[in-house]
Amino acid sequence: MGIFSGCLLASDIDGTLMTEGKVPARNLEAIQRFQQEGGLFTIATGRSTKAVLPVFDFIRCNCPAIVYNGGMIYDYEAQQILYERALSSADKRLCAELVPSFPQVGIEVHSGSRVYLLNRSAESDWHEAYERITPTCTTVEAILDQPWNKVFFALDREETFDDILRLAEPKLRESGTSYIVKTYATDRGSTHYACEQMPAGVNKGTALPELARLTGAEPGHVFAIGDYYNDVELLAAADVSAVPVESPEALKRDADFICGSCAVGAVADFIEYIESKL
């Protein structure tokens, strides 16, 4: 038994656990100690199962991970899907309408461990390199029979998110089977914006209680940290939540603890906070 026995800590990746493609040394040291003292540490990310692998160059999860923004819980040790949700046929038809309307936007379909590229762009090229994924170029029609966990839009500029939402919103309201959420990552001093089409009712927050049940985390000992709008539900679902100081004000207002910046070790700050409250 250790100090953190019974604790489950889920962390977002980009802008929370790591920045500029690296995990701060303070985070690495704190996570290692958290695990050694009995805590379960994992990630809760929009990334696909394969795109999480670069993070394991730095740190390993010692329990299953939340991927696809909550669309899947994946056990990397057993290489097994424990929970999964996918987009509907109506969502696939909406994607088919969006592809020709935004030729400047890189569009990927993520399906299990596979990634399909519908539109190539400079931003999708960056995304492939950043997450170390190798997509297969294809069309919507060719993959209609595959399960789609999410559609990823690598935006040419931040404002394109509003353009996509304006075109998609009537269809989203009509079908009610999916939604589109904005996200980003920072690399070499540049911010890269994206948005993702997800199944309705699926987010990191819906997956966290399921993960807590699967891992046997103690009631009141489920912790989460994230930095952006796709982390809102994750933070709300945790018993105690935290955000890095550079997070949007809306997230900071609702968080239980505000850490230092991602670059200096926000996750380490949170682990120290958790220990002070146990």
Side-chain angles (χ1 to χ4, degrees):
M1 296 290 287
I3 299 168
F4 299 110
S5 292
C7 295
L8 170 64
L9 170 55
S11 173
D12 171 55
I13 296 178
D14 299 294
T16 304
L17 174 66
M18 65 189 299
T19 186
E20 303 290 345
K22 295 181 179 179
V23 179
R26 280 190 67 231
N27 285 349
L28 296 176
E29 293 165 4
I31 292 166
Q32 184 178 38
R33 180 170 175 271
F34 181 82
Q35 293 176 327
Q36 288 173 344
E37 288 290 337
L40 297 176
F41 176 83
T42 193
I43 49 94
T45 179
R47 293 191 186 199
S48 65
T49 52
K50 279 194 173 179
V52 167
L53 298 180
V55 181
F56 294 159
D57 290 346
F58 305 98
I59 193 72
R60 283 279 176 177
C61 301
N62 59 346
C63 71
I66 297 171
V67 295
Y68 290 124
N69 272 330
M72 183 183 292
I73 296 175
Y74 189 76
D75 185 334
Y76 281 90
E77 185 174 343
Q79 297 185 9
Q80 181 180 4
I81 296 171
L82 305 181
Y83 166 91
E84 183 178 22
R85 292 284 301 278
L87 291 162
S88 71
S89 297
D91 301 322
K92 295 175 183 179
R93 288 194 295 271
L94 172 58
C95 178
E97 294 178 23
L98 292 174
V99 170
S101 300
F102 295 94
Q104 81 281 18
V105 172
I107 302 178
E108 304 165 358
V109 170
H110 291 246
S111 173
S113 61
R114 300 177 298 276
V115 180
Y116 298 104
L117 186 64
L118 306 181
N119 268 357
R120 181 177 293 281
S121 72
E123 282 298 296
S124 67
D125 286 344
W126 169 83
H127 186 243
E128 289 173 30
Y130 183 72
E131 295 196 350
R132 299 188 209 170
I133 56 177
T134 305
T136 300
C137 294
T138 189
T139 63
V140 170
E141 292 73 19
I143 55 172
L144 285 174
D145 61 337
Q146 300 295 317
W148 293 19
N149 297 105
K150 72 173 183 178
V151 182
F152 180 88
F153 301 86
L155 305 178
D156 56 321
R157 57 193 184 98
E158 184 178 4
E159 293 76 12
T160 301
F161 171 71
D162 298 318
D163 299 333
I164 291 174
L165 208 55
R166 269 193 297 271
L167 185 59
E169 213 159 28
K171 298 286 187 180
L172 294 172
R173 284 198 303 268
E174 181 182 328
S175 69
T177 57
S178 67
Y179 68 101
I180 296 176
V181 63
K182 186 177 173 185
T183 185
Y184 81 101
T186 302
D187 181 37
R188 300 175 188 175
S190 297
T191 301
H192 299 262
Y193 289 97
C195 60
E196 299 176 330
Q197 183 185 10
M198 293 291 304
V202 172
N203 53 63
K204 297 178 185 180
T206 58
L208 185 61
E210 180 65 18
L211 179 61
R213 184 188 66 79
L214 289 168
T215 58
E218 291 183 11
H221 288 67
V222 177
F223 305 91
I225 179 170
D227 74 307
Y228 209 56
Y229 297 110
N230 63 332
D231 298 312
V232 169
E233 295 88 356
L234 174 73
L235 300 174
D239 295 312
V240 183
S241 64
V243 297
V245 68
E246 58 266 67
S247 303
E249 288 299 320
L251 271 72
K252 289 195 282 189
R253 280 197 302 270
D254 294 333
D256 297 303
F257 180 66
I258 299 175
C259 307
S261 71
C262 172
V264 300
V267 173
D269 286 347
F270 190 33
I271 289 173
E272 290 173 3
Y273 175 79
I274 292 169
E275 184 172 4
S276 74
K277 297 297 181 180
L278 292 177

